[in-house]
């Protein structure tokens, strides 16, 4: 019993770790079943014919008998083997021995009746040989293994077939992955420039199994190279553009419509001697030249180069042809896209103003950028319109959509609005007529718009808005203000809903101040609130350059181009020149209150509160607000026109006075002169001018053209 369970030092026993079983009472442990009789000789002879030998492994004695054919499999002579398994270590590498030992030990421990395993041996000359062994495990009545018999044979042929199949499978998977990766990369390419970026970008040539790549387009009888990557040096000019002939490989492939596979640089130079002067620029490996055919027309040719010579197999050729088809389809789609975009952008260019007119008393500049994705066309527009009496009309607008139809609608609407403006209509009338024009086009598109009628001599700005952003105004000290501007519904929708009313707001542009109009592409980004974009624009204006052109460029680069906006953008900047000989600015603002909109008085009060706070009016702020309310109410109640409210901060009055003054004017179009009354105690009206007289330091009335202006002044404290 002890002898069976103890493995002498240096002897291999696959039963290690398997606990011995106690013998049944009354049994002799040495009386194990005897081995079956040996196989007949004719069976061994048949096995030898198939390079298969037998072995008999006595686990108790630790001996492993190999027949002559088994010795031949292990490349051993009879005198080199003494029956000890350890001798086989000279042929079986350690890593293979560990793997074989693990297979046998697992079968022994699991109680399996047999096992099989492939392993490699090293022959006498060091050459590797694949071998297969299959053993049958014999066990005694207690299930204890005591003997293993089996076969060992050469397996080089079947393993070679297996390796070949595995190699073919891996190569097929690699080719499939290359086609999928190339197709996926090119599927996102819209233009020819996008296709070339995919081919020449990181990993571009590798997607084709190449180290270098060159692509050229066919244009009638000319060939032009548009993409090169991986080639040493600079491609010669006569190679970049040439006539279509058979002296250059890409041109030859396009002309013959046949793919060319060359295994080495020598073969390439022998076939195309014109390349010999440029030997240092031609890779030393193989080359493939593929015509790119789409709809039975050769549109381009693709060249692939490797740094090592290579014989192209049938699989390599099929892969190259498949990739050429993918590139050809993508390139044709991109060329059609570029043609459509060229047509669309040409159409849009004719719709936008070709030049910006010069204006007296100021400077104007514009910017337009199409969306950074898609066909680079949209419905945004701008216009600068010379008006009668030296005034200037400024327009920015946005037609819904980013396609050719949006551009066509934009062009028609811009021309119509320009015509209405040049007729001298007020901003409200211009937008009303433009809205009705858009509704009559029977298009489903609507448009937003802001129109400003500017008189730079006086600084008066008359603004009307249709669902669009209002203007941003800042002075020479970079004090910015988004002035509240009343507005109506977008053009087209306003008419459809019967609400084509666009109330007009009057602002004032001080000398050396600037006005900005823009579309939402400058302030709106996907996933962000528009207020964040408005704040960013305000900060950019406050910190930007003073020169108008430089400011326009910075706003475009900082707020639009850097973000890669998906929306187009139009921008108009108007700067009023400083008054001659002046270095300071007279603070002033103007607002227009319509007859049909009495609530406009509340906007005036809100603006007054903000202005009085900026001017540090202190205790007189409330007096100014009350006086403005009374004068506006009088104008709206007793006349048939609206009221034009002007508030100015005047310098000190009489000599010796250091107090600056706030002057309030309310102008109307009525020639009826105001009359101050003294109402009785029970009267419900007639106290407006009395309150103005009581609150102000001075007041009065002045004729203004066909109307008049009531004014009052307040001295600032301190």
């Amino acid at each position: 019993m002890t002898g069976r369970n103890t493995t002498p030092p240096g002897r291999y026993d696959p039963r290690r770790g398997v606990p011995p079983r106690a013998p049944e009472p009354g049994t002799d442990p040495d009386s194990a079943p005897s081995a079956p009789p040996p196989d007949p000789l004719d069976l061994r002879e048949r096995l030898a014919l198939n390079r298969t030998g037998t072995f008999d492994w006595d686990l108790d004695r630790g001996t492993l008998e190999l027949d002559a054919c088994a010795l031949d499999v292990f490349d051993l002579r009879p005198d080199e083997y003494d029956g000890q398994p350890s001798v086989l270590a000279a042929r079986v590498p350690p890593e293979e021995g560990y793997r074989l030992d693990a297979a046998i030990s697992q079968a022994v421990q699991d109680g399996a009746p047999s096992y099989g395993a492939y392993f490699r041996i090293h022959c006498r000359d060091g050459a590797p040989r694949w071998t297969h062994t299959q053993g049958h495990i014999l066990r005694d009545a207690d299930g204890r293994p005591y003997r293993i018999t089996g076969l060992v044979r050469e397996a080089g042929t079947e393993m070679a077939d297996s390796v070949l199949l595995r190699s073919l499978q891996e190569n097929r998977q690699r080719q499939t992955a290359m086609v999928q990766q190339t197709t996926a990369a090119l599927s996102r390419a819209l233009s020819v420039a996008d296709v070339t970026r995919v081919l020449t970008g990181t990993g571009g040539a590798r997607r084709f199994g190449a180290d270098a790549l060159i692509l050229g387009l066919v244009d009638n009888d000319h060939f032009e190279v548009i993409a090169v990557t991986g080639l040493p040096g600079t491609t010669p000019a006569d190679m970049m553009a040439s006539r279509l002939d058979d002296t250059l490989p890409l041109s030859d492939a396009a002309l013959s419509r046949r793919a060319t596979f060359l295994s080495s640089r020598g073969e390439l130079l022998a076939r195309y001697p014109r390349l010999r002067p440029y030997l240092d620029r031609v890779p030393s490996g193989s080359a493939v030249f593929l015509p790119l055919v789409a709809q039975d027309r050769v549109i381009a040719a693709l060249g692939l180069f490797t740094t090592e010579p290579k014989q192209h197999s049938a699989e390599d050729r099929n892969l190259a042809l498949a990739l050429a088809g993918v590139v050809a389809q993508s390139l044709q789609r991109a060329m059609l896209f570029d043609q459509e975009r060229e047509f669309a952008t040409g159409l849009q260019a004719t719709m936008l103003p070709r030049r910006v007119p010069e204006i007296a008393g100021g400077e104007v500049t514009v910017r337009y950028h199409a969306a950074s994705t898609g066909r680079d066309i949209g419905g945004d527009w701008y216009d600068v319109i010379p008006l009668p009496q030296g005034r200037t009309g400024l327009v920015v607008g946005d037609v819904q959509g980013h396609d050719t139809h949006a551009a066509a609608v934009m062009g028609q609407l811009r021309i119509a609005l320009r015509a209405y403006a040049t007729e001298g209509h007020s901003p409200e009338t211009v937008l009303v007529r433009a809205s009705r024009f858009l509704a009559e086009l029977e298009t489903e598109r609507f448009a937003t718009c802001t129109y400003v009628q500017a008189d730079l001599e006086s600084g008066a700005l008359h603004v009307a808005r249709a669902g669009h952003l209002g203007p941003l105004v800042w002075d020479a000290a970079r004090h910015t203000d988004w002035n509240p501007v009343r507005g109506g519904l977008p053009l087209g929708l306003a008419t459809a809903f019967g609400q084509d009313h666009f109330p007009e707001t009057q602002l004032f542009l001080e000398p050396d101040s600037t006005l900005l109009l823009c579309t939402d592409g400058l302030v709106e980004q996907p996933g962000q609130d528009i207020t964040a974009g408005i704040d960013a624009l305000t900060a950019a204006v406050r910190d930007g350059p003073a020169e108008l052109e430089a400011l326009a460029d910075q706003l475009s680069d900082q707020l639009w181009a850097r973000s890669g906006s998906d929306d187009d953008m139009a921008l108009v900047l108007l700067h009023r020149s400083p008054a001659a000989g002046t270095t300071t600015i007279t603070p002033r603002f103007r607002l227009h209150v319509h007859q049909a909109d009495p609530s406009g008085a509340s906007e005036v009060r809100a603006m007054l509160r903000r202005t009085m706070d900026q001017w540090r009016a202190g205790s007189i702020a409330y007096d100014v607000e009350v006086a403005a309310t009374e004068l506006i109410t009088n104008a709206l109640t007793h006349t048939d026109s609206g009221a034009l409210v002007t508030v100015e901060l005047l310098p000190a009055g009489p000599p010796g006075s250091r107090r600056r003054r706030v002057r309030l004017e309310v102008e109307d179009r009525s020639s009826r002169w105001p009359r101050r009354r003294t109402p009785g105690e029970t009267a419900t009206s007639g106290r407006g001018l009395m309150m103005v007289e009581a609150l102000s330091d001075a007041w009065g009335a002045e004729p203004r053209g066909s109307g008049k202006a009531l004014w009052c002044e307040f001295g600032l404290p301190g």
Side-chain angles (χ1 to χ4, degrees):
M1 181 69 70
T2 304
R4 283 190 176 183
N5 288 310
T6 303
T7 302
R11 198 177 99 182
Y12 171 67
D13 188 347
R15 299 172 299 180
R16 61 186 183 277
V18 179
R21 298 189 180 187
E24 296 292 334
T27 61
D28 183 1
D30 294 327
S31 61
S34 60
D39 294 333
L41 292 177
D42 58 338
L43 176 60
R44 292 196 175 187
E45 290 175 356
R46 289 197 297 271
L47 292 174
L49 292 176
N50 293 304
R51 299 286 292 170
T52 302
T54 64
F55 66 88
D56 188 345
W57 191 356
D58 191 326
L59 301 179
D60 291 333
R61 294 188 177 90
T63 59
L64 177 63
E65 295 183 7
L66 301 175
D67 66 3
C69 190
L71 289 173
D72 188 50
V73 170
F74 282 100
D75 198 15
L76 291 171
R77 294 190 295 267
D79 60 337
E80 294 177 329
Y81 185 68
D82 59 0
Q84 298 298 317
S86 57
V87 177
L88 298 180
R91 293 288 182 264
V92 182
E95 62 275 9
E96 298 293 323
Y98 296 146
R99 190 159 55 82
L100 182 60
D101 179 27
I104 300 173
S105 299
Q106 189 66 41
V108 169
Q109 295 179 14
D110 292 346
S114 62
Y115 68 89
Y118 285 95
F119 62 98
R120 286 177 300 178
I121 66 172
H122 286 160
C123 297
R124 190 181 308 277
D125 59 359
R129 174 183 293 174
W130 277 104
T131 308
H132 181 265
T133 180
Q134 185 172 355
H136 179 66
I137 303 173
L138 301 177
R139 303 176 187 273
D140 58 19
D142 299 325
R144 182 176 181 276
Y146 66 91
R147 187 178 177 189
I148 301 176
T149 61
L151 306 175
V152 60
R153 60 183 175 82
E154 289 188 23
T157 302
E158 62 189 81
M159 288 304 294
D161 293 340
S162 176
V163 171
L164 177 61
L165 290 175
R166 187 165 58 250
S167 175
L168 291 175
Q169 183 178 8
E170 291 175 353
N171 190 42
R172 193 173 297 112
Q173 291 175 347
R174 178 182 61 83
Q175 293 176 351
T176 302
M178 290 170 64
V179 174
Q180 290 175 343
Q181 292 172 2
T182 304
T183 304
L186 290 173
S187 65
R188 297 185 293 271
L190 294 178
S191 64
V192 173
D194 294 336
V195 173
T196 59
R197 276 193 292 269
V198 171
L199 298 182
T200 60
T202 303
R206 284 295 177 186
R207 293 192 185 99
F208 298 85
D211 299 306
L213 176 149
I214 184 169
L215 173 69
L217 297 180
V218 175
D219 184 11
N220 295 325
D221 59 345
H222 285 77
F223 188 82
E224 180 182 2
V225 174
I226 62 171
V228 179
T229 182
L231 293 179
T234 303
T235 305
D238 60 336
M239 302 292 178
M240 295 295 292
S242 61
R243 293 188 60 85
L244 207 59
D245 56 31
D246 58 358
T247 61
L248 292 174
L250 284 176
S251 179
D252 184 27
L255 193 62
S256 65
R257 301 171 66 101
R258 292 193 305 270
T260 303
F261 297 87
L262 305 174
S263 60
S264 65
R265 179 167 59 185
E267 192 174 347
L268 173 65
L269 297 178
R271 184 158 184 171
Y272 300 101
R274 185 176 170 183
L275 296 177
R276 291 186 181 278
Y278 311 108
L279 184 64
D280 57 334
R281 297 185 179 95
V282 179
S284 59
S286 63
V288 177
F289 302 99
L290 305 165
L292 302 183
V293 182
Q295 295 183 343
D296 199 32
R297 184 172 70 91
V298 179
I299 60 175
L302 178 67
L304 304 173
F305 303 88
T306 63
T307 56
E308 298 293 334
K310 175 184 179 181
Q311 292 291 337
H312 297 92
S313 64
E315 289 79 7
D316 294 334
R317 295 169 183 259
N318 291 334
L319 174 63
L321 295 175
L323 291 174
V326 172
V327 176
Q329 295 300 320
S330 298
L331 197 58
Q332 183 196 38
R333 184 178 65 248
M335 293 170 69
L336 293 175
F337 177 87
D338 284 347
Q339 292 173 4
E340 181 181 352
R341 181 172 59 180
E342 182 179 359
F343 167 76
T345 53
L347 171 64
Q348 188 179 32
T350 62
M351 299 297 183
L352 292 173
R354 295 191 177 184
R355 65 180 184 87
V356 176
E358 295 184 359
I359 58 176
E363 178 186 2
V364 64
T365 189
V366 298
R367 290 292 184 274
Y368 174 82
H369 290 291
S372 59
T373 59
R375 290 174 171 79
D376 287 354
I377 186 170
D380 286 19
W381 90 92
Y382 65 87
D383 207 348
V384 180
I385 310 169
L387 299 177
Q389 301 176 353
R391 295 170 297 168
T392 302
L394 307 173
V395 186
V396 292
D398 183 4
V399 174
Q400 177 195 16
H402 299 89
D403 52 20
T404 307
H405 183 58
V409 172
M410 175 270 290
Q412 297 178 77
L413 182 59
R414 185 187 77 83
I415 294 172
L417 193 148
R418 185 183 184 92
Y420 299 142
T422 53
E423 289 176 353
H425 296 294
S426 67
E428 179 179 8
T429 303
V430 169
L431 293 192
V432 168
R433 295 192 176 190
S435 180
R436 293 174 181 174
F437 172 83
L438 183 57
E440 292 172 358
L441 287 180
E442 297 183 354
T443 177
E444 297 179 355
R445 308 298 175 94
F446 62 85
T448 64
C449 176
T450 294
Y451 173 56
V452 177
Q453 189 181 88
D455 182 357
L456 293 187
E457 183 177 355
S458 65
L461 304 174
H462 297 267
V463 186
R465 189 168 60 87
H468 202 82
L469 287 172
L472 172 62
V473 177
W474 65 94
D475 57 24
R478 297 303 175 95
H479 295 143
T480 58
D481 193 5
W482 290 91
N483 292 283
V485 176
R486 290 168 296 169
L489 294 175
L491 303 180
L493 289 181
T495 302
F497 292 143
Q499 299 182 20
D500 47 358
H501 172 59
F502 305 95
E504 181 181 315
T505 301
Q506 182 169 355
L507 306 177
F508 186 78
L509 189 64
E510 298 287 349
D512 205 17
S513 296
T514 308
L515 173 140
L516 177 147
L517 297 175
C518 68
T519 57
D520 56 5
L522 190 63
V523 295
E524 196 171 37
Q525 295 297 329
Q528 293 185 5
D529 191 276
I530 192 172
T531 56
I534 291 175
D535 292 341
L537 174 58
T538 305
V541 163
R542 189 181 299 117
D543 302 330
E547 201 271 328
L548 212 60
E549 292 289 337
L551 177 61
D553 290 336
Q554 180 168 311
L555 293 179
S556 299
D557 296 340
Q558 182 175 350
L559 299 182
W560 185 85
R562 290 184 185 177
S563 61
S565 177
D566 295 333
D567 197 2
D568 40 352
M569 179 275 291
L571 168 70
V572 176
L573 290 171
L574 172 68
H575 179 74
R576 185 184 179 192
S577 301
T582 62
T583 57
T584 59
I585 300 172
T586 300
R588 177 190 304 176
F589 80 84
R590 288 185 179 181
L591 289 177
H592 190 272
V593 181
H594 283 264
Q595 176 74 26
D597 186 21
S599 63
S602 63
E603 296 184 13
V604 175
R605 288 194 295 269
M607 178 66 77
L608 276 172
R609 284 192 290 269
R610 294 168 55 194
T611 304
M612 294 300 104
D613 182 64
Q614 293 176 359
W615 294 350
R616 297 180 175 84
S619 59
I620 72 165
Y622 179 75
D623 297 342
V624 176
E625 184 178 341
V626 172
T629 302
E630 293 298 330
L631 294 179
I632 293 171
T633 303
N634 283 342
L636 299 181
T637 303
H638 302 295
T639 70
D640 295 329
S641 66
L644 175 60
V645 182
T646 303
V647 181
E648 293 181 283
L649 181 59
L650 302 178
S657 174
R658 297 183 179 179
R659 296 177 62 190
R660 303 188 71 182
R661 295 165 296 147
V662 174
R663 182 181 177 91
L664 168 67
E665 289 186 1
V666 177
E667 183 179 345
D668 59 55
R669 298 177 185 176
S670 173
S671 59
R672 292 182 57 189
W673 209 251
R675 183 170 61 89
R676 179 183 179 282
R677 292 185 292 170
T678 307
E681 294 182 358
T682 60
T684 58
S685 62
R687 296 184 176 87
L689 292 181
M690 289 181 61
M691 294 181 64
V692 171
E693 182 181 28
L695 295 173
S696 64
D697 295 335
W699 75 281
E702 297 176 356
R704 295 288 174 85
S706 61
K708 64 182 181 300
L710 271 68
W711 60 270
C712 54
E713 294 183 358
F714 303 81
L716 285 178

